[in-house]
Amino acid sequence: MSYQAEYQRSMNDPEGFWREKAQALPWFKFPETILSQDSDGIYHWFADGELNTSYMALDYHIEQGRGDTLAIIYDSPVTNTKTTYTYSQLRNEVAKAAGMMASLGVTKGDRVIIYMPMIPEAVISMLAVARLGAIHSVVFGGFAAPELAVRIEDSQPKIMISASCGVEIKRVIEYKPLLDKAINLSSHKPQSCIIFQRPECTAPLTAGRDHDWSALMAHAQPVAPVPVKGTDPLYILYTSGTTGKPKGVVRENGGHAVALNYSMDAIYNLKAGDVFWAASDVGWVVGHSYIVYAPLLHGCTTIVYEGKPIMTPDAGAFWRVCSEYGVKALFTAPTAFRAIKKEDSEGEFLKQYDLSKLTTIFSAGERLDPPSQQWLMDKSGKPVIDHWWQTETGWGITANLQGVEPMPIKLGSSTVPTPGFNVQILDESGQELPRGQQGYIALKLPLPPSCLATVWGSVEKFKESYLSMFEGYYASGDGGYIDEDGYVFVMGRVDDVMNVAGHRLSTGEMEEVVGSHPAVAECAVIARDDDLKGQIPIGLVVLKTGAQINEAEFSKELAQMIRASIGAIACYKDTYIVQRLPKTRSGKILRKNLRQMINGQEYIVPSTIDDPAIMPELEALLSSKGAKVGS
Ligand code: COA
Ligand code: AMP
């Protein structure tokens, strides 16, 4: 089948297209309603179907005779541990973990927050929540206590699951104090917490609230999968928007299973039994979709890797894993490739491993810069495929569909729209722009299965954040263009969201933290391009009149405040003290101009600027402080 034929069918007859894709999965009750709209006008897929995602991802494969196939390979260079789980073993653990949660009162629709490092118990917990028809919300282990607290407050979990610690390259990070602090900060209190004690550190348990994972599991009774509706939520995953408060993206069971299972064939070209490795973290959407759900729904073996691309122990780490387990497709973020390239520019490590089973390398999370893409293709001899997606969609919006029709790679492009996604480039007024012209990337409604159904707790917020900018479209927040051949080029965010090492962070949220320092009158946090991490934040700060500070100390204090409020992953280090910030006459800070200036790009100041002299003044000041600027 050609790409064009597949894509056009998804556009001309979306219901027929997705009904057919849904037939590949074992529903308890196959949906009669494929696409529908609710009273708020929001589209949903497979509303009256009945399924259980944990059943589809585990029990079904055992029924098909794949019980002895490996489901998970856990490889942890930071703890020197390797373990495997067959589908039968994993199902048994998941059924027991579901029983453990049920014994604490978790039932269908309840929320469970999972705050864990990259260990199999994180995956087991997610699948166990799904088995009960409950809703998980996984919080990335690198987030600090206040970030966790916001998610507790918003999702109101009945229970929380955590581990005693995470293990980073240089240190063991105790999770329990962060968990306790977050619960203290939140007005909502979970009834119980289950703590998985790791040998690297043992956490003291709070009597009456905390339970030891192993002690509960020892007596837990396995439970059967609970049927849910296609539109019942599987999970909430919080993501940074432009405001200080993250948004809870709600993913529904039915559409999620169908789209992810389809993507394993269409995008990644994988079959049951193949080994797939998404080198990410379960705390991010890539981890949800491609460490956990998609490979397991498809009967593949997935790798849970607790390590880094470099330093665990060297820049050959990824190639060692690919070779050792016969990985067929590898998926990670460009920052990982850049880290490897920096340490091993000649690709010497690549040569040491047998990568004959590796057919394709996939990249997402941020734009894959052409030099890194070319370098990796040259050194590995494999196609390196960029694909564009978001937490909100849960899978690739544009891709080079290896299982449909592999297309020529164009450096810098994430290729063509994935079937189901009607990708358009619009101008500010919502008019479609011709090929080659850069604008807002928008997706014409309805979105295909798996895309967010709402923002947790507020359909109004969903509409306001995504649907109100362009009538009849989902506004992606990204800008870019489509070329004459229909290839999509995603050039970056058009809003104040930044991307640090593939992690999406809100500049607004960082500004709230910086602005809370007693010496700060006002501030702007801007994304500066970075060779390794893509972008890193820097702060421009105007001090309160009379504030007495030591500049170096002050900068350290702000960095520490961001670490404590958001997490070390924000990588906030540099602060520049300025006299004033450029603003429009109505008082809006000209962040886009600042971003362009700080990155040495040309910028055109709007006529609404209150004082045009400020930009050259600021440029001179920042240059004198060693910042790279200049139009
Ligand atoms: N729990 C706690 N802390 C964490 C953490 C976690 N899960 N993950 C990262 N951190 C901490 C690190 O310890 C580090 O802290 P430090 O400043 O005290 O040293 C900080 O957050 C930054 O970490 P990281 O972004 O990993 O930077 P690094 O310089 O240690 O490593 C890379 C650089 C490129 C190797 C690393 O960024 C990387 O592997 N990136 C890939 C990201 C990725 O897979 N993204 C997936 C999105 S699809
Ligand atoms: P997240 O929701 O954290 O996965 O971040 C999604 C954002 O990351 C998108 O809106 C883009 O800005 C960026 N992104 C992800 N993948 C790509 C890609 N392949 N090319 C360009 N930007 C990307």
Side-chain angles (χ1 to χ4, degrees), residues 140-142 168 171 173 279-280 286 308-309 335 501-502 533 563 568-569:
F140 174 58
E168 283 291 293
R171 61 204 163 105
I173 295 171
S280 178
V286 173
K308 302 264 174 178
T335 187
K533 300 199 174 183
R563 279 177 89 91
I569 47 151

Side-chain angles (χ1 to χ4, degrees), residues 506-587:
S506 154
T507 51
E509 205 174 342
M510 287 191 241
E511 284 173 7
E512 273 184 22
V513 177
V514 172
S516 70
H517 190 288
V520 175
E522 62 175 345
C523 67
V525 173
I526 308 292
R528 178 161 70 191
D529 295 345
D530 183 77
D531 286 347
L532 178 64
K533 300 199 174 183
Q535 292 183 320
I536 51 166
I538 63 160
L540 303 182
V541 168
V542 179
L543 294 176
K544 284 186 184 153
T545 313
Q548 297 294 322
I549 52 116
N550 168 307
E551 211 163 324
E553 282 306 312
F554 174 65
S555 186
K556 269 195 215 146
E557 274 171 37
L558 291 180
Q560 190 45 43
M561 283 168 70
I562 297 270
R563 279 177 89 91
S565 295
I566 297 173
I569 47 151
C571 296
Y572 181 99
K573 289 194 182 73
D574 296 334
T575 300
Y576 297 98
I577 295 170
V578 298
Q579 300 308 314
R580 54 198 183 126
L581 291 165
K583 288 185 189 165
T584 59
R585 280 192 285 278
S586 59

Side-chain angles (χ1 to χ4, degrees), residues 112-118 122 126 136-152 155 157 160-162 175 179 182 236-238 246 281-284 288 566:
V112 175
I113 282 192
I114 300 170
Y115 182 58
M116 287 187 124
M118 279 292 288
M126 291 166 76
H136 60 69
S137 186
V138 181
V139 180
F140 174 58
F143 276 130
E147 287 286 335
L148 180 57
V150 170
R151 287 152 174 83
I152 299 173
S155 66
M160 293 180 66
I161 306 177
S162 189
Y175 275 32
L179 183 83
I236 308 166
L237 180 58
Y238 287 83
D281 188 289
V282 287
W284 306 112
H288 279 61
I566 297 173

Side-chain angles (χ1 to χ4, degrees), residues 158 275 338 354:
K158 185 174 260 181
V275 183
R338 289 195 296 265
D354 172 10

Side-chain angles (χ1 to χ4, degrees), residues 365-367 386-391 478 490 493 499 504:
E366 58 182 300
R367 183 164 185 264
D386 185 15
H387 57 330
W388 168 54
W389 52 302
Q390 306 185 315
T391 303
D478 282 308
V490 181
R493 298 289 303 191
N499 198 314
R504 178 166 155 187

